[in-house]
Amino acid sequence: MSAPRPVRVLIADDDPLLRAGLAVVLETADGIEVAGQAEDGLRTVELARVLRPDVVLMDVRMPGCDGVEATRRLAGVGPRVLVLTTFHHDAYVWGALRAGAAGFLLKRASPERLIDAVHAVAAGEAVLDPAVTRDLLGHLLAAPAPVPAPEPVGASGQLAALTAREREVLRLAADGRPNDEIAALLHLAESTVKTHVKRILAKLGVHDRSQAVAAAYRHGLMDPHPYRPPGAP
């Protein structure tokens, strides 16, 4: 039986030293292959179309064509994008999510966390760094200019269609909780949580978890503070 094909990753960052460090980490991981490196958004789009990687590690703050525009150009036809950011409060990350990124991670994340995130994104999951989620969305909601005014809960037909349990699952997802943690907190089977997530995506008309969380915040369903179900630690 042949070994599964490795996840092919394109690294996009204007810092050559950081690119080299990321490449070393990923090349030493099982099941990952570095397909190439790019120093700006335009080069990233060009290489993605030629090399056809599974995942792009995308720095959002690059000269010329930034990571947000590069993500937008790759959305729907290219690889899945995992945004890397240095700062908790980075409005570029919000723009990248709206452009179609599958998630975001702090650049200071551990090598193990980075490797897990790459595999998760390649498998079709969304990666939401808890610290970035809380700080970024709380910051954006406090600044009305970049974020539309929240609609009352129930004002959107899509959000109103969510059941109480689905809203609990979505709130925990917004806190960066993976499916197994959500299952433990809500005393559910992980398969049940996955079913809830699929239904949430369908009801909101989005493709992945990060887009669902962004939609919920835009429409006022979510509180910017971490959600804790009754009895949770």
Side-chain angles (χ1 to χ4, degrees), residues 43-57:
R43 184 61 174 158
T44 301
V45 174
E46 291 173 359
L47 286 179
R49 289 172 175 167
V50 173
L51 300 174
R52 303 184 67 82
D54 302 296
V55 175
V56 173
L57 288 181

Side-chain angles (χ1 to χ4, degrees), residues 12 93 144 190 199:
V93 175
E190 188 172 350
R199 289 175 179 168

Side-chain angles (χ1 to χ4, degrees), residues 4-11 22-35 54-55 57 111-120 122:
R5 186 177 72 84
V7 175
R8 302 182 71 250
V9 179
L10 173 61
I11 301 171
L22 291 170
V24 169
V25 170
L26 295 177
E27 286 284 17
T28 58
D30 291 335
I32 295 178
E33 172 188 310
V34 176
D54 302 296
V55 175
L57 288 181
E112 295 78 15
R113 175 64 173 146
L114 174 64
I115 292 165
D116 288 346
V118 167
H119 281 297

Side-chain angles (χ1 to χ4, degrees), residues 168-206:
E168 284 186 303
V169 170
L170 183 53
R171 288 187 179 105
L172 288 167
D175 192 30
R177 304 275 190 165
N179 287 341
D180 57 347
E181 288 188 21
I182 295 174
L185 286 168
L186 298 181
H187 307 290
L188 299 172
E190 188 172 350
S191 60
T192 302
V193 172
K194 291 179 180 179
T195 298
H196 282 310
V197 171
K198 289 179 181 177
R199 289 175 179 168
I200 290 167
L201 299 184
K203 289 180 179 180
L204 296 182
V206 296

Side-chain angles (χ1 to χ4, degrees), residues 3-95:
R5 186 177 72 84
V7 175
R8 302 182 71 250
V9 179
L10 173 61
I11 301 171
D13 198 291
D14 62 335
D15 183 340
L17 187 59
L18 181 59
R19 288 200 310 271
L22 291 170
V24 169
V25 170
L26 295 177
E27 286 284 17
T28 58
D30 291 335
I32 295 178
E33 172 188 310
V34 176
Q37 299 182 31
E39 67 281 359
D40 59 43
L42 285 178
R43 184 61 174 158
T44 301
V45 174
E46 291 173 359
L47 286 179
R49 289 172 175 167
V50 173
L51 300 174
R52 303 184 67 82
D54 302 296
V55 175
V56 173
L57 288 181
M58 184 81 78
D59 181 23
V60 287
R61 294 171 176 264
M62 293 186 288
C65 174
D66 63 23
V68 177
E69 179 59 27
T71 298
R72 185 176 295 111
R73 295 186 187 190
L74 293 173
V77 295
R80 289 171 61 79
V81 174
L82 176 60
V83 171
L84 295 178
T85 179
T86 304
F87 310 103
H88 285 197
H89 299 315
D90 193 342
Y92 280 84
V93 175
W94 177 260

